Amino acid sequence: MALTETFDILSYKGVDKAIQGLFSKFAHQDQTGQIVFDFFDEQGGKVDCEILSLYRNKQASRGISVLNLSEDSRTIFVSDSYASLICFANQFKSRISFDEAGFLIIGAEFDLSLLTQAFRKVSKKAKINTVFSTSILGRVMDCKVQDLVYDRNCGYYLYNDCVQLKNPKKNKVSKESIFTFSLRTYCISQAIIQTVRTFKPKQKGVESFYQLNQLHWKDLD
């Protein structure tokens, strides 16, 4: 795990220097001290960015950012936020073999064509993990990644505190309360084996690892 660059904000928040270097390939610190993470389209053109300041995190809407991904990657982590993924990696650094890990950060629009293109580089034996928020959107994204593994193209629609799921292959529509919906319940309802592992902060009321870091950092401030 080579160190290439560190950032003042992340150092201030207690992120290990080696972890910072791991996520620095498409990042730079601007004149105000904010960290800017670039996102790209299928042709490699820059289309959006995630911006992390001391107190706020603005996630990217479009594009994808791919780090350390190859056929030799044995573990893949997928997220929609550099900030949360960095905080997660810092928290679990003793349990992750970073030399064998690849990282995919997708914009909020969740362009499946970009993820599909990235997944073509990944071995079928690689373990897929997701690091999305505990919100209903984050849980739907967990399911979309599982769909990608199984080459499914399900549609998800939110209404009246329910998730409506449309499976075009089986011409089947089902629904579940947003309060109980998760990748686990989704796989059970669809009679498929869950192969994707999800990581969520366990602290009550905390949606993301970035938010968890913010709370811890403020307690120390």
Side-chain angles (χ1 to χ4, degrees):
M1 184 168 60
L3 172 63
T4 56
E5 189 174 353
T6 59
F7 304 94
D8 294 342
I9 290 174
L10 294 179
S11 296
Y12 191 57
K13 290 178 179 293
V15 177
D16 187 275
K17 290 182 179 180
I19 299 295
Q20 295 184 48
L22 183 68
F23 292 94
S24 67
K25 183 177 181 180
F26 301 119
H28 68 273
Q29 186 169 293
D30 67 15
Q31 293 180 342
T32 66
Q34 297 181 133
I35 307 173
V36 180
F37 302 95
D38 293 328
F39 284 66
F40 307 89
D41 60 19
E42 291 183 10
Q43 288 73 45
K46 191 186 303 183
V47 292
D48 207 344
C49 63
E50 177 176 338
I51 301 175
L52 177 63
S53 64
L54 193 59
Y55 295 102
R56 295 186 63 187
N57 177 223
K58 179 183 177 295
Q59 294 174 225
S61 297
R62 300 185 297 146
I64 193 171
S65 213
V66 180
L67 300 170
N68 200 39
L69 193 69
S70 71
E71 291 183 356
D72 297 325
S73 301
R74 298 181 62 182
T75 308
I76 310 299
F77 295 91
V78 186
S79 183
D80 61 344
S81 167
Y82 261 99
S84 278
L85 194 54
I86 289 170
C87 292
F88 160 78
N90 192 61
Q91 181 176 332
F92 289 90
K93 56 181 177 286
S94 63
R95 295 169 52 183
I96 300 173
S97 177
F98 289 103
D99 291 335
E100 300 176 335
F103 301 91
L104 301 173
I105 306 93
I106 187 74
E109 291 181 0
F110 206 89
D111 189 328
L112 279 176
S113 65
L114 292 174
L115 274 178
T116 300
Q117 184 182 56
F119 265 67
R120 291 194 186 111
K121 303 176 183 178
V122 178
S123 167
K124 296 293 185 181
K125 296 180 180 180
K127 295 180 180 179
I128 310 299
N129 307 271
T130 58
V131 187
F132 295 114
S133 74
T134 61
S135 69
I136 185 58
L137 179 59
R139 285 175 277 150
V140 167
M141 286 183 172
D142 291 330
C143 298
K144 285 187 174 183
V145 173
Q146 183 68 78
D147 286 342
L148 187 62
V149 172
Y150 280 124
D151 193 25
R152 293 159 58 93
N153 187 28
C154 295
Y156 300 83
Y157 308 91
L158 304 180
Y159 76 103
N160 293 337
D161 288 338
C162 287
V163 178
Q164 179 175 290
L165 171 68
K166 292 185 178 181
N167 185 339
K169 286 187 177 181
K170 295 185 177 181
N171 195 26
K172 180 181 178 182
V173 178
S174 60
K175 67 178 181 179
E176 184 178 341
S177 167
I178 62 172
F179 304 108
T180 58
F181 182 82
S182 68
L183 176 57
R184 179 178 176 274
T185 60
Y186 163 71
C187 289
I188 291 173
S189 70
Q190 297 298 302
I192 60 176
I193 297 174
Q194 179 179 336
T195 62
V196 172
R197 182 179 182 182
T198 64
F199 286 92
K200 312 282 185 188
K202 295 181 179 180
Q203 185 169 326
K204 188 176 181 180
V206 176
E207 288 196 351
S208 69
F209 287 99
Y210 165 71
Q211 187 180 5
L212 184 64
N213 177 274
Q214 285 289 88
L215 291 175
H216 178 68
W217 170 69
K218 287 179 180 178
D219 287 341
L220 296 177
D221 194 28

